[in-house]
Amino acid sequence: MASDYRRELFSALQALQAEKGISQEDAITSLKDTLVTAYKKNFEGETNVEVDVDPEKQEFNLLQIKEVIPDGDMIDPYSEIYLKDAREINSAYEAGDQIKFEINPRDFGRLAAQSGKNKSTQTIREKEKEAIHARYEGFEHEIVSARVAREDQRFLWVTMPDGQEAAMGDKDRIPGETYKTGDPIKVLINRVEDSATRGPQIYVSRTSPELVKRLFEQEVPEVYDGTVVIESIAREAGDRSKVAVRTTDSNLDPVGTLVGPRGSRVQAVVNELHGENMDIVEWVEDEAQYIANALNPAEVVDVIFSPDNDNEVTVIVPDYQLSLAIGKRGQNARLAAKLTKFKIDIKSETQAENDPQLQAILEESAKYAEEEDQSDETDETDETDEALEDETEYADANEYFSEGADQFDASEEEKTSESAEESSSAEEDSSKAKAKMTEAEVKEAQDEFAAALKNVDFDAILEEKEGDDNKKSDDK
């Protein structure tokens, strides 16, 4: 049965675990460090101590270890015991054996108790820091619901769900947003840093493009399960974002999926970001088409890739669409470039016509495209000729077997005629019966021939025929 003070100590440890979020192993380690430190202080730095802890029974024992020595040779009474005194405890003890004596921590002096408390506080603080760092390090780039706590000259502080505070700097705050203490707010855990002096520090953001992605994952089940994939996001926080999406299901419209019925899904994201506009475009493998999609809502006439730089393109738009394609303060073009990872130069059709270098590239592209078309036409012609040759060979085979069938029918007719002449002297009834038998035999022969044709290897026959023709040509 554990004593009262031991039960109280274990109850305090359990409360500490819940409050600080540390494990039972760390709490027990803290208890051991506390008792050992208090012992050393009480016994002038002695280290001959051992702590046994049983969490299930809520018991612990502080044990002082003494070595049995021959009588008269004692140097340290805290770590040694005479043989005669040891044998009073148990007559089996010999010199060199070790004996453990239980010590009550309540017998320690005030200074020893304070030293143990300080050590315990330090250990708990270190374990708490480690627990916080480990917990939040695994949640980097994840979204959490927090509440505004306070604001100082450097940071806006928010309270996380577990009560831990996180900092949001000026660059991570959406321009124009105002915050009041207690306001709910969704933030992205940007990074977790571990400082030797201040401990772990959590930094959160409202301007990261990842926040937009996580918000869509919360609103759109198809994004969360991977049916719709967000390939890229370009964002100017508080003003406009462009989101490129694709689908792994050919029957699903990725853009419409994110927009939702009557725009409900995208509107929920817009509301969370306090009115930030969202342009959702479809991601495609064709880079030219992808760039054209990224410049939505502007209409694109042509996309020309630079021959000198694979990451530079010139986009041609109708004259009346030039300002729309560039956007207010160049925002549309800038976001499209971030989204596609291409350097985009936008020109109107009139500007393109007056640009000699651009016209040269267009002419070269047109020439190349014409050569490609001719190559495709040549390939199609070759395929058509091969198909016609196959049909001709098949037609020759049908003709060949048709001639054989006609010859067979003629031979049968001759046999029938001869048979009829030989039986001319017979009676009329016998002659009719003979004629009927001949017709049956002819039909049976024709059926057998038709069945035989089914087992004929036409390809082999044609190859043999071609071989014979080639041999004849060689003989000539």
Side-chain angles (χ1 to χ4, degrees):
M1 191 76 179
S3 62
D4 291 341
Y5 83 90
R6 289 175 179 172
R7 289 186 179 278
E8 291 173 1
L9 187 56
F10 269 98
S11 298
L13 283 177
Q14 291 173 351
L16 192 65
Q17 289 176 231
E19 180 184 352
K20 302 298 184 180
I22 62 177
S23 65
Q24 184 184 53
E25 291 77 9
D26 290 340
I28 291 175
T29 299
S30 172
L31 172 62
K32 289 181 177 180
D33 289 344
T34 300
L35 294 173
V36 170
T37 301
Y39 175 87
K40 290 179 180 179
K41 188 70 175 178
N42 194 71
F43 291 97
E44 301 177 358
E46 293 290 341
T47 59
N48 58 325
V49 64
E50 184 178 291
V51 182
D52 289 338
V53 181
D54 188 342
E56 294 183 359
K57 296 181 179 179
Q58 294 190 348
E59 290 184 354
F60 69 88
N61 294 308
L62 182 63
L63 304 174
Q64 184 182 48
I65 305 172
K66 292 186 177 184
E67 183 179 353
V68 178
I69 61 173
D71 297 340
D73 296 335
M74 182 177 291
I75 299 175
D76 183 2
Y78 295 135
S79 62
E80 296 173 336
I81 184 174
Y82 285 132
L83 178 60
K84 64 177 183 178
D85 295 332
R87 286 182 173 174
E88 290 180 0
I89 300 171
N90 190 325
S91 59
Y93 280 127
E94 297 290 342
D97 291 345
Q98 290 186 336
I99 304 175
K100 295 180 180 180
F101 297 91
E102 185 175 352
I103 298 176
N104 189 342
R106 286 187 167 183
D107 296 334
F108 292 168
R110 182 179 62 82
L111 293 178
Q114 185 62 42
S115 177
K117 179 182 177 182
N118 293 341
K119 179 61 178 179
S120 175
T121 302
Q122 180 184 353
T123 303
I124 291 171
R125 188 178 293 115
E126 290 175 355
K127 296 300 182 182
E128 181 185 10
K129 290 178 181 179
E130 292 175 4
I132 292 172
H133 186 271
R135 181 165 65 251
Y136 281 98
E137 189 178 30
F139 286 99
E140 285 187 2
H141 307 299
E142 294 293 335
I143 190 173
V144 294
S145 296
R147 286 191 175 276
V148 177
R150 55 192 173 85
E151 185 175 5
D152 57 27
Q153 293 181 350
R154 296 182 59 197
F155 298 109
L156 174 75
W157 296 90
V158 298
T159 304
M160 308 298 273
D162 63 351
Q164 180 67 28
E165 282 194 342
M168 183 162 60
D170 290 339
K171 67 178 182 178
D172 293 310
R173 297 169 62 171
I174 296 177
E177 275 192 344
T178 57
Y179 310 97
K180 296 180 181 179
T181 302
D183 284 350
I185 184 174
K186 289 186 178 180
V187 295
L188 186 86
I189 299 177
N190 215 17
R191 66 188 188 280
V192 180
E193 295 181 355
D194 194 6
S195 171
T197 56
R198 296 178 300 171
Q201 181 62 62
I202 305 165
Y203 294 94
V204 296
S205 173
R206 290 270 294 170
T207 59
S208 171
E210 280 289 316
L211 178 64
V212 176
K213 182 177 181 179
R214 299 305 180 195
L215 288 172
F216 272 115
E217 286 179 348
Q218 289 185 345
E219 295 294 334
V220 185
E222 291 84 355
V223 174
Y224 183 78
D225 64 21
T227 306
V228 174
V229 180
I230 296 178
E231 286 288 344
S232 180
I233 299 175
R235 186 183 183 199
E236 292 187 358
D239 196 352
R240 182 178 295 275
S241 290
K242 282 184 179 287
V243 183
V245 294
R246 66 175 177 86
T247 178
T248 58
D249 184 352
S250 58
N251 297 320
L252 193 66
D253 174 21
V255 176
T257 301
L258 257 69
V259 172
R262 299 182 180 180
S264 59
R265 290 175 170 178
V266 70
Q267 190 59 47
V269 176
V270 170
N271 292 341
E272 175 58 37
L273 298 176
H274 295 173
E276 184 173 321
N277 294 311
M278 291 286 155
D279 291 341
I280 302 174
V281 301
E282 184 176 5
W283 181 93
V284 292
E285 291 186 2
D286 185 347
E287 292 179 337
Q289 184 60 51
Y290 179 36
I291 293 170
N293 293 347
L295 285 168
N296 181 65
E299 177 187 343
V300 174
V301 176
D302 199 359
V303 178
I304 304 166
F305 291 85
S306 171
D308 302 325
N309 191 332
D310 293 339
N311 291 323
E312 289 186 9
V313 297
T314 300
V315 177
I316 301 175
V317 300
D319 291 3
Y320 67 93
Q321 294 264 306
L322 182 60
S323 60
L324 182 63
I326 296 174
K328 187 178 180 180
R329 299 186 302 277
Q331 186 184 66
N332 194 54
R334 189 166 56 251
L335 287 175
K338 290 181 181 179
L339 190 72
T340 61
K341 308 298 188 295
F342 277 90
K343 183 180 179 181
I344 301 175
D345 183 19
I346 302 176
K347 293 182 180 293
S348 66
E349 289 181 299
T350 302
Q351 290 172 333
E353 291 173 359
N354 297 328
D355 189 335
Q357 185 178 2
L358 193 59
Q359 288 300 315
I361 296 174
L362 285 171
E363 290 175 3
E364 186 67 23
S365 299
K367 182 180 178 182
Y368 178 77
E370 185 178 351
E371 292 175 354
E372 286 288 323
D373 293 340
Q374 290 177 355
S375 176
D376 293 341
E377 289 177 1
T378 302
D379 293 340
E380 292 177 0
T381 302
D382 293 341
E383 292 176 0
T384 303
D385 292 342
E386 290 177 0
L388 289 174
E389 289 177 2
D390 292 341
E391 292 179 1
T392 302
E393 291 175 354
Y394 185 74
D396 291 344
N398 287 339
E399 183 178 352
Y400 173 81
F401 286 109
S402 295
E403 290 176 358
D406 292 341
Q407 291 175 0
F408 178 82
D409 292 341
S411 175
E412 290 298 325
E413 289 177 358
E414 290 176 1
K415 290 180 181 180
T416 303
S417 177
E418 291 175 0
S419 177
E421 291 177 0
E422 290 176 358
S423 60
S424 59
S425 60
E427 294 180 355
E428 184 177 354
D429 294 340
S430 298
S431 178
K432 291 181 180 179
K434 184 70 177 177
K436 290 179 180 179
M437 290 174 62
T438 304
E439 292 175 0
E441 290 175 355
V442 170
K443 186 176 184 304
E444 182 179 358
Q446 290 176 338
D447 291 340
E448 290 176 354
F449 181 76
L453 284 178
K454 295 181 180 179
N455 298 322
V456 174
D457 188 348
F458 290 93
D459 293 335
I461 292 174
L462 290 173
E463 290 177 359
E464 183 179 354
K465 183 175 180 296
E466 290 176 356
D468 293 341
D469 293 340
N470 293 334
K471 185 177 181 181
K472 290 178 182 178
S473 299
D474 295 338
D475 293 341
K476 289 180 181 181

